[in-house]
Amino acid sequence: MPTIKTEALSHIYGQGTPFESHAINNISLEIPQGQFVGLIGHTGSGKSTFIQHLNGLLQPESGHVYFDGVDINSSKQLRRNARFQVGLVFQYPEHQLFEETLYKDLAFGPRNMKLSKDEIDERVREAARFAGLSEELFSKSPLELSGGQKRRAAIAGVIAMRPQVLVLDEPTAGLDPAGRNDILENIRAYHKASGATVILVSHSMDELAQIAQRLIVFDEGSIVMDGPPEKVFLHSEKLCEIGLGVPLASEIALELQKLGLNIPEGCYTVSSLRDAILSLRREAGVC
Ligand SMILES: Nc1ncnc2c1ncn2[C@@H]1O[C@H](COP(=O)(O)OP(=O)(O)OP(=O)(O)O)[C@@H](O)[C@H]1O
Ligand SMILES: [Mg+2]
């Protein structure tokens, strides 16, 4: 049974007003337990609106969201359960941090779940470890943290609930390359250790190429592509048409193929392209 299923999901903001906006239209998809999904689309394509339906934060204009076969909007209690099962890290971490200390912030979710003090403590420490936050920061106010630490805190606060599905809305935006890689590694480690489904929203094809098993491409509130990265990147023209590109490694691989070099399909990360070039050099007898 799939963990998450949406059926003809649509959402309209400000219906009946001059500001009416059809943010997502008729979205149907299934995401099986444990999959690592990358969600991409240019600004305003409906990514944040879509994911906020997955934990019941937004309710659909029409359509359904199912978690393990149960419609999460069929009762108040089920919608509340979805908040704990599907953990959502917001696009702007400041919207998520509001307690006096970092420790209290990380404990907020588990406390709401009515867990014991010991269990809360264990979860807070584990979540901080996964998000790469030192325990020395526990007594600080979240307001005193750096931009990167705030991102990590927002991620840790959600991980502390040990959600079956972790949804992250542009968790690396505004970070330098080292900080970005670090956070991606933390998310990868969490996915591997927990077996949770992960849905990562990003503007960067290079980032998603590194980490996602499946890519879902949004354009103007609809899904226009859905498949494994190596298949999606074959449609570079279509991706360019909707204002997205392919990863740089994929672009270079394509150019090398045009030059007649035998670069295999599916080279879309720097490391796979490097391996392909090294193998060509070996074949040519160049060390
Ligand atoms: N609270 C809101 N009220 C009214 N319209 C909104 C609201 N939030 C989003 N919209 C509109 O809905 C559409 C989809 O927005 P959404 O934020 O879901 O896109 P996004 O893909 O997450 O964009 P970004 O990449 O910039 O984060 C846009 O046209 C946006 O202007
Ligand atoms: Mg967004």
Side-chain angles (χ1 to χ4, degrees):
M1 190 177 286
T3 300
I4 285 203
K5 178 172 168 182
T6 70
E7 213 172 67
L9 198 63
S10 297
H11 191 86
I12 305 171
Y13 290 107
Q15 194 167 24
T17 73
F19 306 103
E20 185 170 297
S21 161
H22 291 247
I24 52 170
N25 306 304
N26 218 14
I27 302 230
S28 298
L29 55 74
E30 289 186 13
I31 300 177
Q33 176 68 39
Q35 197 167 54
F36 199 127
V37 178
L39 223 146
I40 193 157
H42 62 75
T43 187
S45 57
K47 306 179 296 294
S48 296
T49 304
F50 172 69
I51 58 170
Q52 287 175 73
H53 283 80
L54 302 183
N55 75 343
L57 206 58
L58 288 180
Q59 283 163 57
E61 197 57 48
S62 57
H64 301 274
V65 179
Y66 298 97
F67 187 84
D68 272 344
V70 177
D71 186 336
I72 66 164
N73 292 303
S74 56
S75 78
K76 239 180 171 173
Q77 185 57 42
L78 287 170
R79 201 160 48 239
R80 186 180 141 77
N81 291 350
R83 295 276 161 93
F84 301 125
Q85 291 157 330
V86 180
L88 174 59
V89 181
F90 287 96
Q91 188 161 3
Y92 305 101
E94 294 75 14
H95 294 180
Q96 209 154 344
L97 306 170
F98 44 83
E99 291 279 1
E100 306 149 36
T101 66
L102 174 64
Y103 186 94
K104 282 190 182 171
D105 232 313
L106 303 190
F108 180 81
R111 228 180 26 240
N112 262 347
M113 295 168 85
K114 314 250 182 290
L115 300 174
S116 72
K117 221 170 157 218
D118 286 351
E119 173 84 12
I120 293 174
D121 190 63
E122 189 193 315
R123 285 180 175 223
V124 166
R125 289 175 200 281
E126 181 197 83
R129 213 169 38 249
F130 267 119
L133 281 170
S134 143
E135 294 194 5
E136 283 159 27
L137 299 171
F138 278 176
S139 56
K140 286 207 172 196
S141 154
L143 300 175
E144 290 173 75
L145 304 178
S146 71
Q149 287 167 340
K150 279 184 190 149
R151 290 248 170 230
R152 289 171 192 278
I155 295 171
V158 172
I159 286 180
M161 295 191 291
R162 292 192 190 150
Q164 293 170 56
V165 179
L166 176 65
V167 185
L168 303 118
D169 200 351
E170 305 206 30
T172 60
L175 298 180
D176 62 24
R180 210 178 301 150
N181 282 337
D182 231 31
I183 289 215
L184 288 179
E185 275 317 312
N186 296 137
I187 296 168
R188 202 199 298 269
Y190 180 75
H191 176 246
K192 199 166 167 213
S194 67
T197 306
V198 176
I199 303 174
L200 177 67
V201 177
S202 171
H203 270 120
S204 163
M205 280 293 191
D206 285 281
E207 186 169 295
L208 292 180
Q210 266 182 52
I211 201 163
Q213 299 167 325
R214 171 181 176 188
L215 281 185
I216 299 178
V217 183
F218 270 65
D219 186 40
E220 296 186 357
S222 300
I223 292 177
V224 289
M225 282 183 219
D226 180 355
E230 66 272 21
K231 292 267 171 1
V232 169
F233 296 147
L234 291 177
H235 303 278
S236 59
E237 272 182 24
K238 169 87 183 159
L239 288 168
C240 286
E241 252 172 52
I242 58 173
L244 301 169
V246 293
L248 190 56
S250 201
E251 234 176 90
I252 296 171
L254 214 68
E255 289 303 320
L256 293 176
Q257 282 165 357
K258 280 188 202 158
L259 290 174
L261 291 173
N262 183 19
I263 303 283
E265 294 290 342
C267 273
Y268 55 85
T269 62
V270 173
S271 64
S272 63
L273 182 58
R274 185 199 52 205
D275 291 348
I277 292 172
L278 286 177
S279 139
L280 281 182
R281 283 169 62 102
R282 269 195 304 274
E283 275 169 32
V286 187
C287 289

